[in-house]
């Protein structure tokens, strides 16, 4: 977007100082992760996930995937929800990590989790890439480090981790910043094309929502860089675009993006899980998720408010007092010194990646119910976009790229208009305000994690999972049948029990799956159970205890009652015969 030259550090000491700046920012991210998540960074500390929601879903996808045989597609995990036939993509288990770690299944401890480590890596990379992008925009090294610290504190990142909403893959905002970084290149060089292809495939192996954001930035860059091409140059450019699409689709196919055995019908939530028009200014928009009026927002100073749409916690993107201060200073300088803006920022094609694409994503983030404070305006979304809205129901997340654009455009405006020392002072003030403003939120997350991981050697909230007689009943079987299939709470414990005993399970929680979908998927197993077509190598987990009566009276059938559940299985397991 901007004709900003690389810093004059092509050789020697200057280049290493830039690397050191990024490393210092990364160390700050790691220190923050250690303070926030503590014991969760230990991959052997696993049982705390039983008290989590989405984070347990991500762990269970990996936990079942690692012990299954290799299949095609490579990410398929039919043992987790055999009636659903899904993949690690839909358990949000981060295929980029799950696939290579499966090769190490025999040598890795069992169980083993990487939820905490993902947060540590993402916080480190977020800070480091922010510092690198600041250097790219001609900030000084101290200024770039301060920008890294400013971005590191953004609550939209920590809101996505354990102790909060629990979706650690979505904390990889460094992918968005790398997309903006690559978008600064005005011409389509071969090196740039390869970098975009790598970034797109990294994103698709981490999370589809981040991939969609990066993909929109890539499409905008392709339009801009090919704007003035003609003849063979334009054909080559189009060929690279097609090759990038084909490679990415191939990666999606191999990973398991098209492996989903149930059909999601009806209202998927688009328009509910959206962002408000003032989401960057509202520190309390996630209040309904955390208990309504008991949650007063993430800011120490800025008063928050509850959205009239309960699902708008997904569109949470409060910028923080420090970032808001930076935006205000940049706006003031731009109004006072308008003549210093470079001419290269005025051409329409240069704005596609850094302005038009993020604005389009933000427009999509608003959904079909626009919220301004307490006011709600509904309008009809174009029907031809339904395939997109069906799969991107949590559209509020699409507000994030515009947030980063606001931060780095403000930085660029100040770099062009303010002396380096004055800018460093402004950035230092913004960092101090940002961390002071968000300190109560960080303490809140840390407190949640301390509570979760304190009982790391127990099976709370399912202490019965430690019962030896239950594991003896599961021993030697191949499958666990969870019936009637719609109890979401006990499903976590049943999945844990199945994995610990190398059993497949008929239903499981995946992205976009609800109680109705699970009940429908379990219908064949319910019918077989009702006709007493009971398999000798199956352990039955019955959350409706009325189902146990006729079965538990059968000769040689053993039943164990725990926590309003009954586990039933033949007393003697014969793997070579079934009844």
């Amino acid at each position: 977007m901007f004709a900003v030259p690389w810093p004059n550090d092509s050789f020697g000491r200057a280049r290493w100082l830039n690397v050191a700046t990024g490393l210092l920012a990364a160390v700050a991210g790691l220190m923050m992760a250690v303070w926030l998540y503590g014991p969760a960074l230990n991959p052997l500390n696993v049982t705390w996930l039983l008290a989590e929601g989405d984070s347990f879903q991500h762990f269970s996808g990996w936990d079942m995937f690692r012990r299954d045989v290799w299949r095609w597609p490579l990410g398929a995990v039919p043992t987790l929800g055999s009636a659903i036939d899904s993949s690690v993509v839909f358990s949000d288990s981060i295929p980029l990590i799950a696939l290579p770690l499966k090769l190490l299944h025999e040598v890795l401890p069992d169980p083993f989790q990487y939820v905490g480590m993902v947060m540590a890596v993402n916080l480190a990379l977020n800070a480091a890439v922010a510092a690198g992008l600041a250097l790219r925009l001609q900030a000084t090294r101290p200024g770039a480090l301060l920008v890294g610290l400013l971005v590191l504190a953004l609550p939209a990142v920590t809101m996505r981790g354990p102790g909060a909403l629990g979706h650690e893959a979505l904390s990889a905002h460094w992918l968005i910043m790398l997309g903006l970084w690559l978008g600064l290149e005005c011409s389509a060089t071969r090196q740039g094309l390869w970098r975009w292809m790598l970034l797109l495939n990294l994103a698709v192996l981490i999370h589809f929502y981040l991939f969609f954001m990066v993909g929109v930035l890539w499409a905008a860059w392709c339009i801009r860089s090919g704007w003035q091409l003609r003849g063979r140059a334009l054909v080559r450019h189009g060929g690279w675009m097609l090759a990038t699409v084909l490679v990415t689709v191939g990666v999606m196919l191999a990973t398991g993006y098209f492996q989903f055995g149930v059909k999601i019908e009806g209202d998927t939530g688009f328009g509910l899980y959206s962002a408000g028009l003032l989401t960057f200014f509202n520190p309390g928009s996630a209040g309904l998720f955390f208990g309504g009026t008991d949650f007063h927002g993430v800011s120490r100073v800025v008063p928050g408010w509850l959205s009239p749409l309960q699902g708008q916690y997904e569109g949470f993107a409060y910028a923080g007092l420090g970032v808001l201060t930076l935006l205000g200073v940049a706006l003031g300088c731009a109004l006072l010194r308008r003549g210093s803006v470079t001419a290269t920022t005025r051409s329409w094609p240069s704005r596609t990646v850094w302005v038009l694409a993020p604005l389009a994503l933000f427009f999509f983030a608003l959904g079909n119910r626009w919220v301004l404070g307490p006011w709600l305006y509904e309008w009809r979304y174009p029907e031809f976009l339904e395939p997109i809205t069906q799969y991107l129901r949590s559209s509020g997340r699409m507000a994030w790229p515009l947030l980063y654009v606001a931060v780095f455009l403000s930085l660029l405006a100040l770099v062009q208009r303010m002396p380096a020392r004055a800018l460093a002072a402004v950035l230092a003030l913004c960092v101090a305000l940002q961390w002071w403003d968000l300190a109560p939120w960080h303490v809140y997350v840390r407190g949640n994690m301390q509570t979760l991981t304190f009982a790391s050697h127990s099976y709370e909230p399912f202490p019965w999972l430690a019962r030896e007689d239950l594991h003896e009943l599961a021993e030697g079987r191949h499958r666990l049948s969870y019936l009637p299939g719609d109890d979401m709470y006990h499903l976590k414990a049943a999945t844990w029990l199945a994995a610990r005993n190398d059993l497949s399970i008929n239903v499981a929680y995946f992205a976009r799956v609800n109680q109705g979908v699970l009940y429908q998927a379990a219908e064949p197993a319910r019918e077989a159970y009702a006709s007493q077509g009971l398999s000798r190598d199956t352990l039955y987990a019955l959350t409706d205890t009325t189902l146990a009566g006729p079965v538990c009276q059968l000769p040689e059938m053993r039943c164990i009652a725990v926590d309003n559940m009954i586990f039933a299985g033949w007393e003697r397991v014969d793997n070579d015969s079934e009844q």
Side-chain angles (χ1 to χ4, degrees):
M1 169 183 178
F2 310 104
V4 181
W6 285 92
N8 187 20
D9 59 354
S10 300
F11 303 98
R13 181 171 175 270
R15 185 178 292 275
W16 285 107
L17 287 175
N18 286 350
V19 172
T21 302
L23 289 176
L24 282 174
V27 168
L30 291 175
M31 292 174 63
M32 181 181 183
V34 170
W35 189 81
L36 284 177
Y37 304 112
L41 299 180
N42 177 5
L44 304 184
N45 190 346
V46 176
T47 55
W48 61 273
L49 287 161
L50 283 164
E52 283 281 79
D54 284 346
S55 291
F56 181 81
Q57 169 202 325
H58 312 154
F59 163 74
S60 64
W62 145 251
D63 196 31
M64 296 293 272
F65 175 67
R66 64 175 292 186
R67 60 191 73 251
D68 191 21
V69 298
W70 284 102
R71 305 173 186 270
W72 181 262
L74 299 177
V77 54
T79 54
L80 179 65
S82 57
I84 297 175
D85 189 24
S86 191
S87 71
V88 289
V89 169
F90 295 98
S91 64
D92 291 328
S93 303
I94 313 180
L96 182 67
I97 300 175
L99 286 166
L101 282 188
K102 182 171 181 174
L103 297 170
L104 303 176
H105 166 57
E106 298 297 335
V107 298
L108 285 176
D110 189 7
F112 178 94
Q113 60 89 10
Y114 46 79
V115 171
M117 290 187 292
V118 166
M119 287 303 301
V121 170
N122 283 340
L123 287 175
L125 287 176
N126 288 348
V129 173
L133 183 53
L135 287 172
R136 179 70 171 86
L137 297 176
Q138 293 285 277
T140 63
R141 294 183 184 95
L145 180 59
L146 289 168
V147 170
L149 296 177
L150 187 66
V151 168
L152 177 61
L154 283 173
V157 175
T158 47
M159 183 65 76
R160 302 310 316 190
L165 300 184
H167 220 136
E168 63 282 351
L170 286 171
S171 66
H173 288 198
W174 51 274
L175 292 167
I176 301 171
M177 288 182 279
L178 283 177
L180 295 174
W181 191 329
L182 294 181
L184 290 172
E185 297 291 342
C186 295
S187 59
T189 64
R190 180 170 295 184
Q191 189 178 43
L193 291 165
W194 278 111
R195 287 172 176 171
W196 271 113
M197 184 182 291
L198 176 61
L199 179 61
L200 285 166
N201 283 280
L202 275 176
V204 85
L205 288 170
I206 293 175
H207 201 280
F208 181 73
Y209 276 82
L210 293 171
F211 163 72
F212 185 82
M213 297 176 210
V214 173
V216 170
L217 296 178
W218 168 75
W221 178 84
C222 287
I223 294 172
R224 188 197 67 184
S225 58
W227 189 253
Q228 296 179 336
L229 296 179
R230 298 292 184 272
R232 292 183 178 179
L234 182 60
V235 172
R236 285 195 297 269
H237 189 65
W240 266 104
M241 291 177 62
L242 179 60
T244 300
V245 170
L246 292 176
V247 169
T248 305
V249 170
V251 170
M252 295 174 73
L253 177 64
T255 306
Y257 267 89
F258 309 110
Q259 183 85 4
F260 200 63
V262 296
K263 185 177 181 181
I264 307 297
E265 298 179 345
D267 185 9
T268 60
F270 178 75
L272 173 64
Y273 301 110
S274 57
L277 281 161
L278 299 178
T279 184
F280 300 150
F281 303 92
N282 183 8
S285 57
L288 288 169
F289 182 87
F290 291 104
T293 55
D294 293 333
F295 182 79
H296 302 290
V298 302
S299 172
R300 187 196 295 266
V301 177
V302 180
W305 62 91
L306 296 181
S307 168
L309 291 180
Q310 185 172 358
Q312 284 205 331
Y313 62 84
E314 284 287 2
F316 173 86
Y318 174 61
L321 186 59
V323 169
L324 293 177
T325 301
L326 181 68
L327 296 179
V329 174
L331 181 61
C333 286
L335 293 174
L336 292 174
R337 304 180 63 182
R338 288 178 291 178
S340 62
V341 180
T342 60
T344 55
T345 65
R346 299 187 185 276
S347 61
W348 179 85
S350 69
R351 297 183 177 184
T352 54
V353 179
W354 275 65
V355 177
L356 295 183
L359 282 175
L361 286 168
F362 186 78
F363 180 81
F364 183 70
L366 301 178
N368 57 2
R369 304 173 191 175
W370 289 12
V371 174
L372 180 64
W375 294 284
L376 175 66
Y377 170 73
E378 295 192 40
W379 63 288
R380 188 175 183 83
Y381 222 78
E383 291 185 4
F384 70 88
L385 291 176
E386 186 174 343
I388 297 177
T389 61
Q390 283 283 322
Y391 288 96
L392 294 168
R393 63 172 185 166
S394 297
S395 64
R397 301 167 183 174
M398 302 301 165
W400 298 337
L402 187 59
L403 174 60
Y404 287 99
V405 164
V407 171
F408 288 103
L409 278 185
S410 298
L411 173 67
L412 180 67
L414 295 178
V415 165
Q416 293 180 335
R417 295 175 172 87
M418 187 175 286
R421 289 186 178 180
L423 176 56
V426 169
L427 288 172
L429 174 63
C430 290
V431 169
L433 288 173
Q434 185 84 342
W435 285 85
W436 176 76
D437 180 38
L438 298 168
W441 164 247
H442 295 152
V443 171
Y444 176 85
V445 174
R446 173 181 165 85
N448 283 348
M449 292 306 301
Q450 292 292 323
T451 300
L452 280 172
T453 57
F454 177 76
S456 59
H457 298 292
S458 71
Y459 285 88
E460 297 292 347
F462 306 103
W464 48 267
L465 282 173
R467 289 182 52 162
E468 292 185 6
D469 58 345
L470 192 56
H471 289 274
E472 289 175 359
L473 186 61
E475 186 177 357
R477 305 183 195 274
H478 295 157
R479 293 180 292 272
L480 187 148
S481 188
Y482 188 74
L483 300 174
D486 58 350
D487 186 325
M488 303 287 281
Y489 176 72
H490 288 99
L491 184 55
K492 291 189 296 184
T495 304
W496 177 277
L497 179 68
R500 302 285 69 76
N501 292 277
D502 291 324
L503 311 179
S504 66
I505 185 170
N506 61 322
V507 293
Y509 182 74
F510 290 94
R512 303 176 69 244
V513 167
N514 54 39
Q515 289 178 310
V517 172
L518 292 178
Y519 188 80
Q520 182 179 2
E523 184 175 359
R526 285 197 309 274
E527 292 177 350
Y529 180 87
S531 63
Q532 294 193 3
L534 305 176
S535 171
R536 289 187 176 273
D537 68 350
T538 300
L539 176 65
Y540 296 90
L542 310 174
T543 58
D544 182 353
T545 55
T546 61
L547 297 175
V551 170
C552 290
Q553 295 176 8
L554 293 174
E556 301 186 31
M557 182 65 70
R558 184 183 179 191
C559 294
I560 299 176
V562 293
D563 193 19
N564 296 318
M565 291 181 65
I566 292 180
F567 287 90
W570 291 102
E571 185 72 43
R572 292 194 299 271
V573 178
D574 183 358
N575 292 330
D576 297 325
S577 64
E578 292 186 356
Q579 179 173 328

